[in-house]
Amino acid sequence: QLYGSEARWRAMLDGVASGQPAWLDVASRLKPAAARTVPVSQDLTVAVSRALERAPANVLAILDAAFDTDDVCSLNTLEDSLGPDYHAALGTVERREQAVSRVDAPALAARRDDCLEFLRELKGEVVRNRQVWFPAR
């Protein structure tokens, strides 16, 4: 039902992207059912990855449960969610990298380090694939 209403679905995704714990909990609860529908699952993963910029510690806390660190931090096969502009995409990855690097909670150190590794990999892919992913207009 939620996915069937574009306005409600977008509002929910924006809530998840805020990084607030209650919204991340909603995403975590929806993820198992969403896994049966690829676009729904991808939308949730992208929303969680967007939350890295706003509330990285909250996102790291839910990784490796409902959401895979690789998928969220490297956007594994969802690179197009960064948009069509090279500079904007690179800036997004760099903001996420900076936000995650500031997380200093010892309990999240391993997830932070894994996420940073995946973000650095994504940044390298953005640069390496500039011509293919972001063709000149």
Short mmCIF file of all heavy atoms in Angstrom, two decimals, residues 29-99:
data_model
loop_
_atom_site.label_atom_id
_atom_site.label_comp_id
_atom_site.label_asym_id
_atom_site.label_seq_id
_atom_site.Cartn_x
_atom_site.Cartn_y
_atom_site.Cartn_z
N ARG A 29 12.54 -2.33 9.26
CA ARG A 29 11.38 -3.22 9.35
C ARG A 29 10.79 -3.53 7.97
O ARG A 29 10.28 -4.61 7.73
CB ARG A 29 10.31 -2.63 10.26
CG ARG A 29 10.72 -2.62 11.72
CD ARG A 29 9.71 -1.85 12.55
NE ARG A 29 10.12 -1.74 13.91
CZ ARG A 29 9.60 -2.45 14.91
NH1 ARG A 29 8.66 -3.33 14.66
NH2 ARG A 29 10.03 -2.29 16.14
N LEU A 30 10.87 -2.56 7.07
CA LEU A 30 10.33 -2.76 5.72
C LEU A 30 11.27 -3.57 4.83
O LEU A 30 10.82 -4.23 3.89
CB LEU A 30 10.08 -1.41 5.04
CG LEU A 30 8.88 -0.61 5.51
CD1 LEU A 30 8.86 0.76 4.84
CD2 LEU A 30 7.59 -1.36 5.20
N LYS A 31 12.54 -3.53 5.11
CA LYS A 31 13.53 -4.13 4.22
C LYS A 31 13.29 -5.61 3.91
O LYS A 31 13.37 -6.01 2.74
CB LYS A 31 14.94 -3.92 4.79
CG LYS A 31 16.05 -4.44 3.92
CD LYS A 31 16.21 -3.69 2.62
CE LYS A 31 17.47 -4.16 1.91
NZ LYS A 31 17.64 -3.62 0.63
N PRO A 32 12.99 -6.46 4.90
CA PRO A 32 12.77 -7.88 4.56
C PRO A 32 11.63 -8.08 3.55
O PRO A 32 11.78 -8.85 2.61
CB PRO A 32 12.45 -8.54 5.91
CG PRO A 32 13.10 -7.65 6.92
CD PRO A 32 12.96 -6.25 6.36
N ALA A 33 10.53 -7.36 3.72
CA ALA A 33 9.42 -7.48 2.77
C ALA A 33 9.79 -6.84 1.44
O ALA A 33 9.41 -7.33 0.37
CB ALA A 33 8.16 -6.84 3.34
N ALA A 34 10.54 -5.75 1.50
CA ALA A 34 10.94 -5.03 0.29
C ALA A 34 11.89 -5.85 -0.56
O ALA A 34 11.98 -5.64 -1.77
CB ALA A 34 11.58 -3.70 0.67
N ALA A 35 12.62 -6.76 0.05
CA ALA A 35 13.60 -7.56 -0.69
C ALA A 35 12.95 -8.35 -1.82
O ALA A 35 13.63 -8.73 -2.77
CB ALA A 35 14.34 -8.49 0.27
N ARG A 36 11.65 -8.58 -1.73
CA ARG A 36 10.95 -9.33 -2.77
C ARG A 36 10.65 -8.47 -4.01
O ARG A 36 10.31 -8.99 -5.05
CB ARG A 36 9.64 -9.89 -2.21
CG ARG A 36 9.86 -10.93 -1.14
CD ARG A 36 8.54 -11.49 -0.69
NE ARG A 36 7.83 -10.47 0.08
CZ ARG A 36 7.49 -10.60 1.35
NH1 ARG A 36 7.79 -11.70 2.00
NH2 ARG A 36 6.84 -9.64 1.97
N THR A 37 10.78 -7.14 -3.86
CA THR A 37 10.50 -6.23 -4.96
C THR A 37 11.71 -5.33 -5.16
O THR A 37 11.97 -4.45 -4.34
CB THR A 37 9.24 -5.38 -4.66
OG1 THR A 37 8.17 -6.26 -4.29
CG2 THR A 37 8.84 -4.55 -5.86
N VAL A 38 12.46 -5.57 -6.21
CA VAL A 38 13.74 -4.89 -6.42
C VAL A 38 13.64 -3.36 -6.33
O VAL A 38 14.42 -2.76 -5.60
CB VAL A 38 14.40 -5.35 -7.74
CG1 VAL A 38 15.62 -4.52 -8.06
CG2 VAL A 38 14.75 -6.83 -7.66
N PRO A 39 12.71 -2.70 -7.03
CA PRO A 39 12.69 -1.24 -6.94
C PRO A 39 12.46 -0.73 -5.51
O PRO A 39 13.04 0.28 -5.10
CB PRO A 39 11.54 -0.81 -7.86
CG PRO A 39 11.32 -1.96 -8.77
CD PRO A 39 11.71 -3.18 -7.99
N VAL A 40 11.64 -1.42 -4.75
CA VAL A 40 11.36 -1.02 -3.37
C VAL A 40 12.62 -1.17 -2.53
O VAL A 40 13.01 -0.27 -1.78
CB VAL A 40 10.20 -1.86 -2.78
CG1 VAL A 40 10.00 -1.54 -1.30
CG2 VAL A 40 8.92 -1.63 -3.56
N SER A 41 13.27 -2.29 -2.66
CA SER A 41 14.50 -2.55 -1.92
C SER A 41 15.58 -1.53 -2.26
O SER A 41 16.27 -1.00 -1.39
CB SER A 41 14.99 -3.97 -2.21
OG SER A 41 16.17 -4.25 -1.51
N GLN A 42 15.71 -1.22 -3.55
CA GLN A 42 16.71 -0.25 -3.98
C GLN A 42 16.40 1.15 -3.45
O GLN A 42 17.30 1.86 -3.00
CB GLN A 42 16.80 -0.23 -5.51
CG GLN A 42 17.43 -1.48 -6.07
CD GLN A 42 17.46 -1.50 -7.59
OE1 GLN A 42 16.71 -0.78 -8.26
NE2 GLN A 42 18.32 -2.33 -8.14
N ASP A 43 15.14 1.53 -3.49
CA ASP A 43 14.74 2.85 -2.96
C ASP A 43 15.10 2.97 -1.49
O ASP A 43 15.61 4.00 -1.05
CB ASP A 43 13.24 3.08 -3.12
CG ASP A 43 12.81 3.46 -4.53
OD1 ASP A 43 13.69 3.67 -5.40
OD2 ASP A 43 11.58 3.54 -4.75
N LEU A 44 14.84 1.92 -0.73
CA LEU A 44 15.17 1.95 0.70
C LEU A 44 16.68 2.06 0.92
O LEU A 44 17.14 2.83 1.76
CB LEU A 44 14.63 0.70 1.40
CG LEU A 44 13.13 0.68 1.67
CD1 LEU A 44 12.71 -0.71 2.19
CD2 LEU A 44 12.74 1.76 2.67
N THR A 45 17.44 1.30 0.17
CA THR A 45 18.90 1.34 0.30
C THR A 45 19.44 2.73 -0.03
O THR A 45 20.30 3.26 0.68
CB THR A 45 19.55 0.27 -0.59
OG1 THR A 45 19.10 -1.02 -0.17
CG2 THR A 45 21.07 0.32 -0.51
N VAL A 46 18.94 3.33 -1.09
CA VAL A 46 19.39 4.67 -1.49
C VAL A 46 19.01 5.69 -0.41
O VAL A 46 19.81 6.57 -0.07
CB VAL A 46 18.82 5.06 -2.87
CG1 VAL A 46 19.04 6.53 -3.17
CG2 VAL A 46 19.44 4.19 -3.96
N ALA A 47 17.83 5.58 0.16
CA ALA A 47 17.41 6.51 1.22
C ALA A 47 18.32 6.39 2.44
O ALA A 47 18.72 7.39 3.03
CB ALA A 47 15.96 6.27 1.60
N VAL A 48 18.67 5.15 2.80
CA VAL A 48 19.59 4.95 3.93
C VAL A 48 20.96 5.52 3.60
O VAL A 48 21.59 6.16 4.44
CB VAL A 48 19.66 3.46 4.33
CG1 VAL A 48 20.75 3.21 5.36
CG2 VAL A 48 18.31 2.99 4.87
N SER A 49 21.41 5.35 2.37
CA SER A 49 22.72 5.91 1.99
C SER A 49 22.69 7.43 2.04
O SER A 49 23.69 8.05 2.43
CB SER A 49 23.17 5.39 0.62
OG SER A 49 22.42 5.98 -0.42
N ARG A 50 21.58 8.04 1.68
CA ARG A 50 21.46 9.51 1.77
C ARG A 50 21.56 9.97 3.22
O ARG A 50 22.08 11.06 3.50
CB ARG A 50 20.13 9.97 1.16
CG ARG A 50 20.09 9.85 -0.35
CD ARG A 50 18.73 10.19 -0.97
NE ARG A 50 18.13 11.39 -0.41
CZ ARG A 50 16.82 11.58 -0.31
NH1 ARG A 50 15.97 10.65 -0.71
NH2 ARG A 50 16.35 12.70 0.18
N ALA A 51 21.09 9.15 4.14
CA ALA A 51 21.14 9.51 5.57
C ALA A 51 22.57 9.54 6.11
O ALA A 51 22.81 10.14 7.16
CB ALA A 51 20.29 8.53 6.38
N LEU A 52 23.51 8.94 5.40
CA LEU A 52 24.91 8.97 5.85
C LEU A 52 25.41 10.40 6.03
O LEU A 52 26.22 10.66 6.92
CB LEU A 52 25.82 8.24 4.86
CG LEU A 52 25.83 6.74 4.90
CD1 LEU A 52 26.61 6.18 3.71
CD2 LEU A 52 26.40 6.23 6.21
N GLU A 53 24.94 11.31 5.21
CA GLU A 53 25.39 12.71 5.29
C GLU A 53 24.83 13.41 6.52
O GLU A 53 25.47 14.30 7.07
CB GLU A 53 24.97 13.49 4.04
CG GLU A 53 25.66 13.02 2.78
CD GLU A 53 25.16 13.77 1.57
OE1 GLU A 53 25.28 15.01 1.55
OE2 GLU A 53 24.65 13.11 0.65
N ARG A 54 23.65 13.04 6.94
CA ARG A 54 22.97 13.75 8.02
C ARG A 54 23.16 13.11 9.39
O ARG A 54 23.25 13.81 10.39
CB ARG A 54 21.47 13.81 7.71
CG ARG A 54 21.16 14.62 6.48
CD ARG A 54 19.67 14.53 6.14
NE ARG A 54 19.38 15.26 4.92
CZ ARG A 54 19.43 14.74 3.71
NH1 ARG A 54 19.76 13.48 3.55
NH2 ARG A 54 19.14 15.47 2.65
N ALA A 55 23.18 11.80 9.42
CA ALA A 55 23.25 11.10 10.70
C ALA A 55 24.05 9.80 10.54
O ALA A 55 23.51 8.70 10.66
CB ALA A 55 21.84 10.79 11.21
N PRO A 56 25.34 9.93 10.27
CA PRO A 56 26.13 8.74 9.97
C PRO A 56 26.16 7.71 11.09
O PRO A 56 26.11 6.50 10.82
CB PRO A 56 27.53 9.29 9.68
CG PRO A 56 27.56 10.63 10.32
CD PRO A 56 26.15 11.15 10.25
N ALA A 57 26.20 8.14 12.33
CA ALA A 57 26.24 7.17 13.44
C ALA A 57 24.95 6.36 13.49
O ALA A 57 24.98 5.14 13.74
CB ALA A 57 26.47 7.89 14.77
N ASN A 58 23.82 7.01 13.25
CA ASN A 58 22.54 6.29 13.25
C ASN A 58 22.50 5.25 12.13
O ASN A 58 21.99 4.14 12.32
CB ASN A 58 21.38 7.26 13.08
CG ASN A 58 21.20 8.19 14.27
OD1 ASN A 58 21.78 7.96 15.34
ND2 ASN A 58 20.43 9.24 14.09
N VAL A 59 23.04 5.60 10.99
CA VAL A 59 23.07 4.65 9.86
C VAL A 59 24.01 3.50 10.17
O VAL A 59 23.65 2.33 10.00
CB VAL A 59 23.46 5.35 8.55
CG1 VAL A 59 23.65 4.32 7.43
CG2 VAL A 59 22.43 6.39 8.16
N LEU A 60 25.21 3.82 10.64
CA LEU A 60 26.16 2.75 10.96
C LEU A 60 25.58 1.76 11.96
O LEU A 60 25.86 0.57 11.90
CB LEU A 60 27.47 3.34 11.49
CG LEU A 60 28.28 4.17 10.49
CD1 LEU A 60 29.50 4.79 11.17
CD2 LEU A 60 28.70 3.34 9.29
N ALA A 61 24.76 2.26 12.87
CA ALA A 61 24.17 1.40 13.91
C ALA A 61 23.23 0.34 13.33
O ALA A 61 23.03 -0.70 13.96
CB ALA A 61 23.44 2.26 14.95
N ILE A 62 22.65 0.59 12.16
CA ILE A 62 21.71 -0.40 11.60
C ILE A 62 22.33 -1.25 10.50
O ILE A 62 21.68 -2.15 9.97
CB ILE A 62 20.42 0.27 11.07
CG1 ILE A 62 20.71 1.15 9.85
CG2 ILE A 62 19.70 1.03 12.17
CD1 ILE A 62 19.49 1.47 9.02
N LEU A 63 23.58 -0.97 10.15
CA LEU A 63 24.20 -1.76 9.09
C LEU A 63 24.53 -3.16 9.57
O LEU A 63 24.75 -3.40 10.75
CB LEU A 63 25.47 -1.07 8.58
CG LEU A 63 25.25 0.27 7.89
CD1 LEU A 63 26.58 0.83 7.40
CD2 LEU A 63 24.26 0.14 6.74
N ASP A 64 24.55 -4.07 8.61
CA ASP A 64 24.81 -5.48 8.83
C ASP A 64 23.68 -6.18 9.57
O ASP A 64 23.85 -7.28 10.07
CB ASP A 64 26.16 -5.71 9.54
CG ASP A 64 27.32 -5.21 8.69
OD1 ASP A 64 27.20 -5.25 7.45
OD2 ASP A 64 28.32 -4.77 9.27
N ALA A 65 22.54 -5.52 9.64
CA ALA A 65 21.33 -6.17 10.13
C ALA A 65 20.40 -6.24 8.90
O ALA A 65 20.56 -7.12 8.08
CB ALA A 65 20.71 -5.39 11.28
N ALA A 66 19.50 -5.28 8.76
CA ALA A 66 18.61 -5.27 7.59
C ALA A 66 19.34 -4.79 6.33
O ALA A 66 19.01 -5.20 5.22
CB ALA A 66 17.40 -4.38 7.86
N PHE A 67 20.32 -3.91 6.52
CA PHE A 67 21.02 -3.32 5.38
C PHE A 67 22.48 -3.72 5.38
O PHE A 67 23.15 -3.71 6.41
CB PHE A 67 20.91 -1.79 5.42
CG PHE A 67 19.52 -1.31 5.17
CD1 PHE A 67 18.64 -1.11 6.21
CD2 PHE A 67 19.07 -1.07 3.87
CE1 PHE A 67 17.34 -0.69 5.98
CE2 PHE A 67 17.79 -0.66 3.63
CZ PHE A 67 16.91 -0.47 4.69
N ASP A 68 22.97 -4.04 4.20
CA ASP A 68 24.36 -4.45 4.02
C ASP A 68 25.26 -3.23 3.88
O ASP A 68 24.93 -2.29 3.14
CB ASP A 68 24.45 -5.33 2.76
CG ASP A 68 25.83 -5.88 2.55
OD1 ASP A 68 26.25 -6.73 3.35
OD2 ASP A 68 26.48 -5.45 1.58
N THR A 69 26.39 -3.23 4.57
CA THR A 69 27.31 -2.10 4.52
C THR A 69 27.76 -1.82 3.10
O THR A 69 27.81 -0.65 2.68
CB THR A 69 28.54 -2.37 5.42
OG1 THR A 69 28.09 -2.60 6.75
CG2 THR A 69 29.50 -1.20 5.43
N ASP A 70 28.07 -2.83 2.35
CA ASP A 70 28.52 -2.66 0.96
C ASP A 70 27.45 -1.94 0.15
O ASP A 70 27.72 -0.97 -0.56
CB ASP A 70 28.86 -4.01 0.35
CG ASP A 70 29.40 -3.92 -1.08
OD1 ASP A 70 29.68 -2.81 -1.55
OD2 ASP A 70 29.54 -4.97 -1.71
N ASP A 71 26.20 -2.39 0.25
CA ASP A 71 25.12 -1.79 -0.54
C ASP A 71 24.91 -0.32 -0.18
O ASP A 71 24.75 0.52 -1.05
CB ASP A 71 23.82 -2.55 -0.34
CG ASP A 71 23.85 -3.94 -0.95
OD1 ASP A 71 24.72 -4.21 -1.80
OD2 ASP A 71 23.01 -4.76 -0.55
N VAL A 72 24.91 -0.01 1.10
CA VAL A 72 24.63 1.35 1.55
C VAL A 72 25.81 2.29 1.27
O VAL A 72 25.63 3.40 0.78
CB VAL A 72 24.25 1.38 3.05
CG1 VAL A 72 24.21 2.80 3.59
CG2 VAL A 72 22.91 0.67 3.26
N CYS A 73 27.00 1.85 1.57
CA CYS A 73 28.17 2.74 1.47
C CYS A 73 28.77 2.80 0.08
O CYS A 73 29.30 3.84 -0.32
CB CYS A 73 29.22 2.34 2.50
SG CYS A 73 28.61 2.47 4.20
N SER A 74 28.70 1.72 -0.68
CA SER A 74 29.27 1.75 -2.03
C SER A 74 28.19 1.89 -3.10
O SER A 74 28.51 1.99 -4.27
CB SER A 74 30.08 0.48 -2.31
OG SER A 74 29.22 -0.60 -2.60
N LEU A 75 26.92 1.90 -2.67
CA LEU A 75 25.80 1.92 -3.61
C LEU A 75 25.95 0.82 -4.65
O LEU A 75 25.70 1.02 -5.84
CB LEU A 75 25.67 3.29 -4.29
CG LEU A 75 25.24 4.41 -3.37
CD1 LEU A 75 25.32 5.75 -4.09
CD2 LEU A 75 23.84 4.17 -2.83
N ASN A 76 26.34 -0.33 -4.19
CA ASN A 76 26.57 -1.51 -5.02
C ASN A 76 25.47 -1.65 -6.08
O ASN A 76 24.35 -2.00 -5.76
CB ASN A 76 26.62 -2.74 -4.11
CG ASN A 76 27.10 -3.96 -4.81
OD1 ASN A 76 27.64 -3.90 -5.90
ND2 ASN A 76 26.92 -5.09 -4.17
N THR A 77 25.80 -1.35 -7.30
CA THR A 77 24.94 -1.38 -8.50
C THR A 77 23.89 -0.26 -8.51
O THR A 77 23.05 -0.23 -9.41
CB THR A 77 24.23 -2.74 -8.73
OG1 THR A 77 23.20 -2.91 -7.78
CG2 THR A 77 25.21 -3.89 -8.71
N LEU A 78 23.92 0.67 -7.57
CA LEU A 78 22.94 1.76 -7.54
C LEU A 78 23.62 3.11 -7.75
O LEU A 78 23.13 4.15 -7.31
CB LEU A 78 22.20 1.76 -6.19
CG LEU A 78 21.46 0.47 -5.84
CD1 LEU A 78 20.92 0.53 -4.43
CD2 LEU A 78 20.35 0.22 -6.83
N GLU A 79 24.75 3.10 -8.43
CA GLU A 79 25.53 4.31 -8.62
C GLU A 79 24.74 5.41 -9.31
O GLU A 79 24.98 6.59 -9.07
CB GLU A 79 26.80 4.02 -9.44
CG GLU A 79 27.73 3.03 -8.82
CD GLU A 79 27.44 1.58 -9.23
OE1 GLU A 79 26.44 1.32 -9.95
OE2 GLU A 79 28.20 0.71 -8.83
N ASP A 80 23.78 5.03 -10.16
CA ASP A 80 23.00 6.04 -10.87
C ASP A 80 22.18 6.91 -9.91
O ASP A 80 21.75 7.99 -10.28
CB ASP A 80 22.12 5.41 -11.94
CG ASP A 80 21.09 4.45 -11.38
OD1 ASP A 80 21.33 3.86 -10.31
OD2 ASP A 80 20.04 4.28 -12.02
N SER A 81 22.01 6.46 -8.67
CA SER A 81 21.28 7.26 -7.69
C SER A 81 22.04 8.52 -7.30
O SER A 81 21.48 9.41 -6.67
CB SER A 81 20.96 6.43 -6.45
OG SER A 81 22.14 6.11 -5.74
N LEU A 82 23.31 8.60 -7.68
CA LEU A 82 24.10 9.80 -7.41
C LEU A 82 23.74 10.95 -8.35
O LEU A 82 24.16 12.08 -8.13
CB LEU A 82 25.60 9.49 -7.52
CG LEU A 82 26.17 8.57 -6.46
CD1 LEU A 82 27.59 8.15 -6.82
CD2 LEU A 82 26.12 9.22 -5.09
N GLY A 83 22.98 10.66 -9.39
CA GLY A 83 22.55 11.69 -10.32
C GLY A 83 23.42 11.74 -11.57
O GLY A 83 24.43 11.05 -11.67
N PRO A 84 23.05 12.62 -12.51
CA PRO A 84 23.74 12.67 -13.80
C PRO A 84 24.94 13.62 -13.85
O PRO A 84 25.63 13.68 -14.86
CB PRO A 84 22.64 13.15 -14.75
CG PRO A 84 21.80 14.03 -13.88
CD PRO A 84 21.82 13.39 -12.51
N ASP A 85 25.18 14.40 -12.80
CA ASP A 85 26.24 15.39 -12.81
C ASP A 85 27.47 14.88 -12.06
O ASP A 85 27.38 14.54 -10.87
CB ASP A 85 25.75 16.69 -12.18
CG ASP A 85 26.83 17.76 -12.20
OD1 ASP A 85 27.08 18.33 -13.27
OD2 ASP A 85 27.45 17.99 -11.14
N TYR A 86 28.60 14.84 -12.74
CA TYR A 86 29.83 14.32 -12.15
C TYR A 86 30.23 15.05 -10.88
O TYR A 86 30.49 14.43 -9.85
CB TYR A 86 30.97 14.39 -13.17
CG TYR A 86 32.33 14.08 -12.58
CD1 TYR A 86 32.69 12.78 -12.28
CD2 TYR A 86 33.23 15.10 -12.32
CE1 TYR A 86 33.94 12.49 -11.72
CE2 TYR A 86 34.48 14.81 -11.77
CZ TYR A 86 34.81 13.52 -11.47
OH TYR A 86 36.04 13.24 -10.91
N HIS A 87 30.28 16.37 -10.93
CA HIS A 87 30.75 17.14 -9.78
C HIS A 87 29.81 17.00 -8.57
O HIS A 87 30.26 16.89 -7.43
CB HIS A 87 30.96 18.61 -10.15
CG HIS A 87 32.06 18.79 -11.15
ND1 HIS A 87 33.39 18.60 -10.83
CD2 HIS A 87 32.02 19.08 -12.47
CE1 HIS A 87 34.12 18.80 -11.91
NE2 HIS A 87 33.32 19.08 -12.93
N ALA A 88 28.52 16.98 -8.85
CA ALA A 88 27.54 16.79 -7.77
C ALA A 88 27.68 15.39 -7.16
O ALA A 88 27.64 15.23 -5.94
CB ALA A 88 26.13 17.01 -8.29
N ALA A 89 27.85 14.39 -8.01
CA ALA A 89 28.00 13.01 -7.52
C ALA A 89 29.26 12.87 -6.68
O ALA A 89 29.23 12.29 -5.58
CB ALA A 89 28.03 12.04 -8.69
N LEU A 90 30.36 13.40 -7.17
CA LEU A 90 31.61 13.33 -6.42
C LEU A 90 31.48 14.07 -5.09
O LEU A 90 31.93 13.57 -4.05
CB LEU A 90 32.75 13.92 -7.26
CG LEU A 90 34.16 13.75 -6.70
CD1 LEU A 90 34.52 12.28 -6.52
CD2 LEU A 90 35.17 14.43 -7.64
N GLY A 91 30.84 15.22 -5.09
CA GLY A 91 30.62 15.97 -3.87
C GLY A 91 29.78 15.20 -2.87
O GLY A 91 30.05 15.22 -1.66
N THR A 92 28.76 14.50 -3.36
CA THR A 92 27.92 13.69 -2.48
C THR A 92 28.73 12.60 -1.80
O THR A 92 28.64 12.41 -0.58
CB THR A 92 26.76 13.06 -3.28
OG1 THR A 92 25.92 14.11 -3.77
CG2 THR A 92 25.94 12.10 -2.44
N VAL A 93 29.54 11.90 -2.58
CA VAL A 93 30.36 10.83 -2.00
C VAL A 93 31.35 11.41 -0.99
O VAL A 93 31.53 10.85 0.10
CB VAL A 93 31.09 10.04 -3.10
CG1 VAL A 93 32.04 9.01 -2.50
CG2 VAL A 93 30.10 9.38 -4.04
N GLU A 94 31.95 12.54 -1.31
CA GLU A 94 32.91 13.15 -0.39
C GLU A 94 32.25 13.63 0.90
O GLU A 94 32.82 13.48 1.98
CB GLU A 94 33.64 14.30 -1.09
CG GLU A 94 34.61 13.79 -2.14
CD GLU A 94 35.24 14.88 -2.99
OE1 GLU A 94 34.71 16.03 -3.03
OE2 GLU A 94 36.28 14.60 -3.62
N ARG A 95 31.04 14.18 0.81
CA ARG A 95 30.31 14.60 2.03
C ARG A 95 29.99 13.38 2.90
O ARG A 95 30.12 13.44 4.13
CB ARG A 95 29.02 15.34 1.66
CG ARG A 95 29.26 16.77 1.23
CD ARG A 95 27.95 17.55 1.12
NE ARG A 95 26.94 16.90 0.27
CZ ARG A 95 26.91 17.01 -1.06
NH1 ARG A 95 27.84 17.71 -1.70
NH2 ARG A 95 25.96 16.41 -1.74
N ARG A 96 29.59 12.30 2.28
CA ARG A 96 29.31 11.07 3.04
C ARG A 96 30.59 10.55 3.70
O ARG A 96 30.57 10.16 4.87
CB ARG A 96 28.69 10.01 2.14
CG ARG A 96 27.30 10.39 1.70
CD ARG A 96 26.71 9.42 0.70
NE ARG A 96 25.43 9.96 0.23
CZ ARG A 96 24.68 9.38 -0.70
NH1 ARG A 96 25.06 8.25 -1.26
NH2 ARG A 96 23.55 9.94 -1.07
N GLU A 97 31.66 10.58 2.96
CA GLU A 97 32.95 10.13 3.49
C GLU A 97 33.36 10.98 4.70
O GLU A 97 33.78 10.45 5.73
CB GLU A 97 34.00 10.20 2.38
CG GLU A 97 35.34 9.63 2.75
CD GLU A 97 36.31 9.70 1.59
OE1 GLU A 97 36.09 10.46 0.62
OE2 GLU A 97 37.33 8.99 1.66
N GLN A 98 33.24 12.29 4.59
CA GLN A 98 33.60 13.19 5.69
C GLN A 98 32.70 12.96 6.90
O GLN A 98 33.18 12.93 8.04
CB GLN A 98 33.52 14.64 5.23
CG GLN A 98 34.59 15.02 4.24
CD GLN A 98 34.32 16.35 3.56
OE1 GLN A 98 33.33 17.01 3.81
NE2 GLN A 98 35.23 16.73 2.67
N ALA A 99 31.41 12.80 6.67
CA ALA A 99 30.48 12.59 7.78
C ALA A 99 30.78 11.29 8.51
O ALA A 99 30.85 11.25 9.74
CB ALA A 99 29.04 12.60 7.26
#
